[in-house]
Amino acid sequence: MEALFFSTGIVALAEIGDKTQLLALLIAARYKKPIPIILGIFVATILNHAGAAALGTWITSFFGPDTLRWILGGSFIAMAIWMLIPDKLDDDTKLLDRFGVFGATTIAFFLAEMGDKTQIATVALSARYHDLFMVVVGTTLGMMIANVPAVLLGEVAARKLPKHIVHRVAASLFAVLGIVTLAL
């Protein structure tokens, strides 16, 4: 259960102000159809994070416990630093016009997550907890916790959230996890 709870919390916090949350706002503002947007986010996240978690689990087979501990600890500390760098989003709507709301959301979210903070976190969390299913459920839940309100409440809610504080809290959690991983 620790993998589930920590994965949910860290990704929900990491997603605040992230480019995929900005993408959710953009798509919601353009189409004003929350159900297909939310379903597209859900499908894209499951596909992306399942692959990321599988990669994290696979990586653990190549390294001994001590090497893996240093890699993971360093990765979590690097994530803490990366959390303090704000994301930007390019406004390219061609994809949205071609595939409809659900298809465009699914494709755009899947692609936007490639190499994103939450995808990298999913790889590291899977390697750390060795529980692919709970990590994917947790990271997907964290994405939905952060993005569903963005879709439903739109830009007003996003402006009211203190992103810099949320990013600092997430960075602190990553730093603590990195230090704890290195200390064990």
Side-chain angles (χ1 to χ4, degrees):
M1 292 305 284
E2 180 183 344
L4 172 70
F5 293 134
F6 199 81
S7 296
T8 300
I10 201 75
V11 168
L13 287 171
E15 186 64 10
I16 302 296
D18 192 68
K19 68 183 172 198
T20 47
Q21 189 179 51
L22 298 174
L23 180 61
L25 289 169
L26 173 74
I27 295 171
R30 181 175 172 93
Y31 286 103
K32 296 172 181 60
K33 294 182 180 180
I35 299 302
I37 294 169
I38 290 168
L39 291 174
I41 293 168
F42 181 72
V43 168
T45 301
I46 286 177
L47 293 173
N48 192 291
H49 288 201
L55 177 63
T57 300
W58 179 69
I59 286 172
T60 62
S61 66
F62 290 103
F63 300 103
D66 286 336
T67 303
L68 188 59
R69 180 173 56 90
W70 283 99
I71 291 170
L72 290 175
S75 296
F76 285 126
I77 291 169
M79 285 297 299
I81 295 165
W82 193 7
M83 283 303 309
L84 300 174
I85 301 169
D87 276 324
K88 294 178 180 64
L89 177 69
D90 295 327
D91 185 13
D92 183 9
T93 60
K94 292 176 191 168
L95 182 68
L96 302 174
D97 295 333
R98 182 180 290 173
F99 293 102
V101 179
F102 173 78
T105 302
T106 303
I107 294 166
F109 259 77
F110 184 85
L111 294 175
E113 271 296 292
M114 299 303 285
D116 194 51
K117 295 171 194 163
T118 51
Q119 185 190 45
I120 303 301
T122 302
V123 171
L125 289 164
S126 177
R128 166 77 168 91
Y129 287 109
H130 309 287
D131 192 342
L132 186 139
F133 180 75
M134 286 299 185
V135 168
V136 172
V137 169
T139 58
T140 300
L141 184 58
M143 287 287 286
M144 299 312 289
I145 288 169
N147 286 303
V148 169
V151 171
L152 296 176
L153 302 175
E155 213 168 314
V156 174
R159 279 184 290 186
K160 299 222 182 247
L161 289 172
K163 286 188 283 191
H164 66 285
I165 292 173
V166 174
H167 281 221
R168 287 180 186 153
V169 169
S172 298
L173 289 173
F174 274 118
V176 166
L177 185 58
I179 291 167
V180 167
T181 299
L182 290 173
L184 296 177

